[in-house]
Amino acid sequence: MEERIIIVGAGQAGGELAAGLRKQGYKGRVLLLGDEAHPPYQRPPLSKGFLQGKVALTDLYLKPLATYERFDIELKTGTRVEAIDRSTRELSLKDGSRLAYDKLVLATGGRARPLSFPELDTARLENLFSVRSISDVEAMRGKFVPGNRLVIIGGGYVGLEVAAVAVQLGLHVTLLEAAPRLLSRVTGPEVSSFIEQLHRERGVEFRLSCQVRGLELDEAQRQVRGVSLACHGVPERLEADLVLVGIGLIPNTELASAAGLAVDNGIVVDEYACTADPNILAIGDCANQPSTYTGGRLRLESVPNAIEHARIAAATLMGKREPYAAIPWFWSDQYGLKLQMVGLSTGYEQCVTRGSVEGKEFSAFYLKDRRVIAADVIGRPAEFIAAKRLVSSRAEVDATRLGDAAVPLTSLAA
Ligand code: FAD
């Protein structure tokens, strides 16, 4: 019988893998199962151009539908997998049917972390949103009208991107962040304050070091009317027409853990994307993998990671052994300004900036032991490739020359 690979999760990683298998010449059956109504699509525009109405729905799709037919990929949308039976190598689907696999790839991504107020049934609230899927954006879009008051909980990339779209659409935006500065887990104070200033100039208000104490609801308990909070212990109440929660992601690992696979902040895989079960792989946002870059383990939430992880899994499934060795990188767009990040700045000793912060085109390099461990490149896309090389080469650099925009970065990476 023809071998059958089933990919659970028709998102960025799943879609890339299915196509990648065909490109590598895989001859067996490829089934791509996803519980959303759409074929695999790009999520980054959800908090950017799609929310703003500048990107059409079909432009989100990774590939036109015809490509799945052409590649003989059996794409089944609206199909939720409920359980894995590893002993019979079968999946149970929500509709009660079962599907046998030879190899299984979990590409289940994650879901938006909800607010945890035990007494609150957030699912009932009609103007409390998160942004993970097309349907999330479709549900909230009607509220993105001039004059509406939007409170955003969480100062990570998604919250900031939504803030940028919202003020440009004429909403009044207040963003609440628990940490004393924005993006505190992923960037240094210089870039945090630049981003804060960028948004303040456009009219976004911030409450930093702020704890959300609760939501005030209307009589029917269907609409949020206000958010109560405390900044530095001082209580405050903000009126809200809508609230967006952007406080991170919970990886979808339940299928794996119920099947007895190891889960530790993601489904545990090796550098070839394999779990401990030789027939099951995991890729993308849901997977926790070894990192040659940190020497430890990482679970990354980014498109480049999903693409690279899919490539590694395709190689593994084709019987090749290509370990994951990519350096983490990410991008964001806010007010048309491109922010590109490479590496992880955790534990850096020195931050060197290059270019003009005031002119909104500069790079921040994070150094440890005189080596660049990470960089944020803002409004200087031409510099990004060289910045990536600096991080991956781990070469020692001279901080003064690094900070001098007249010295080509390529000469430092030698
Ligand atoms: P996903 O794309 O989430 O796909 C997983 C799919 O699996 C989903 O469709 C899910 O519904 C489905 N699924 C889960 N469980 C089951 C099941 N049991 N049965 C069937 N299907 C199931 N990254 C960047 O690099 N740059 C950006 O600017 C950027 N912006 C972003 C903005 C937003 C608003 C969001 C949400 C993400 C953004 N990302 C960005 C992150 C990036 O989109 C993700 O890292 C990427 O989508 C991960 O791909 P994935 O395939 O692992 O997961």
Side-chain angles (χ1 to χ4, degrees), residues 9 11-13 35-36 43 48 81 108 132 285 302-303 330-331:
Q12 182 92 42
D35 58 0
E36 291 187 67
R43 287 175 208 274
K48 309 175 184 83
V81 175
T108 47
R132 182 72 200 167
D285 283 11
S302 77
V303 167
F330 188 81
W331 80 88

Side-chain angles (χ1 to χ4, degrees), residues 26-348:
Y26 182 71
K27 294 280 186 286
R29 284 180 69 184
V30 177
L31 281 80
L32 178 57
L33 316 182
D35 58 0
E36 291 187 67
H38 300 277
Y41 60 90
Q42 312 164 58
R43 287 175 208 274
L46 297 181
S47 48
K48 309 175 184 83
F50 185 61
L51 178 60
Q52 204 165 1
K54 289 187 170 169
V55 173
L57 176 69
T58 48
D59 290 339
L60 296 179
Y61 294 169
L62 285 189
K63 294 180 171 54
L65 273 175
T67 306
Y68 298 93
E69 255 179 62
R70 188 156 54 82
F71 279 176
D72 194 17
I73 293 165
E74 298 169 54
L75 170 65
K76 294 179 193 300
T77 54
T79 302
R80 183 160 179 84
V81 175
E82 298 276 18
I84 306 166
D85 185 337
R86 288 167 58 199
S87 60
T88 58
R89 275 196 263 148
E90 277 184 321
L91 301 179
S92 307
L93 308 190
K94 194 175 180 192
D95 66 5
S97 62
R98 291 172 80 84
L99 269 179
Y101 64 85
D102 295 296
K103 299 284 180 191
L104 175 67
V105 184
L106 300 173
T108 47
R111 55 189 181 275
R113 185 178 295 283
L115 276 183
S116 64
F117 291 119
E119 74 288 2
L120 201 71
D121 181 3
T122 48
R124 271 173 56 94
L125 298 175
E126 291 158 356
N127 61 347
L128 180 82
F129 304 104
S130 55
V131 48
R132 182 72 200 167
S133 64
I134 288 174
S135 56
D136 290 339
V137 178
E138 286 173 340
M140 71 173 84
R141 234 199 216 140
K143 300 255 178 213
F144 275 67
V145 290
N148 260 354
R149 293 156 304 181
L150 164 65
V151 175
I152 298 176
I153 302 175
Y157 283 114
V158 168
L160 288 164
E161 288 171 356
V162 172
V165 169
V167 282
Q168 290 177 94
L169 292 175
L171 283 82
H172 301 290
V173 182
T174 310
L175 188 147
L176 318 181
E177 166 57 48
R181 61 182 177 87
L182 302 170
L183 300 170
S184 61
R185 283 184 307 120
V186 292
T187 197
E190 293 81 357
V191 172
S192 294
S193 58
F194 169 79
I195 301 277
E196 187 184 328
Q197 187 55 28
L198 182 73
H199 283 268
R200 281 195 191 277
E201 279 169 13
R202 309 292 179 122
V204 178
E205 288 189 31
F206 290 98
R207 300 289 187 278
L208 304 176
S209 301
C210 161
Q211 258 69 49
V212 176
R213 292 274 160 87
L215 302 180
E216 287 170 27
L217 307 186
D218 66 348
E219 261 180 41
Q221 307 280 298
R222 303 301 288 247
Q223 299 271 338
V224 182
R225 290 280 174 251
V227 178
S228 44
L229 51 109
C231 288
H232 301 285
V234 180
E236 187 181 350
R237 178 184 180 277
L238 290 173
E239 300 210 340
D241 298 301
L242 68 158
V243 175
L244 180 104
V245 181
I247 54 172
L249 170 131
I250 300 176
N252 290 327
T253 56
E254 290 77 5
L255 273 182
S257 53
L261 296 168
V263 166
D264 179 9
N265 179 30
I267 303 167
V268 174
V269 295
D270 66 14
E271 61 271 50
Y272 305 103
C274 299
T275 67
D277 182 326
N279 298 312
I280 304 182
L281 292 77
I283 56 173
D285 283 11
C286 69
N288 183 317
Q289 56 190 311
S291 161
T292 47
Y293 166 72
T294 63
R297 286 193 151 270
L298 273 183
R299 189 181 62 74
L300 293 168
E301 297 165 12
S302 77
V303 167
N305 173 65
I307 293 174
E308 181 62 8
H309 221 183
R311 193 183 67 76
I312 297 302
T316 301
L317 290 163
M318 293 301 287
K320 299 176 207 155
R321 302 288 274 173
E322 290 176 15
Y324 186 106
I327 302 242
W329 71 274
F330 188 81
W331 80 88
S332 175
D333 276 313
Q334 292 164 38
Y335 309 105
L337 192 64
K338 193 154 220 66
L339 301 106
Q340 295 161 290
M341 288 68 69
V342 56
L344 304 171
S345 56
T346 321
Y348 76 95

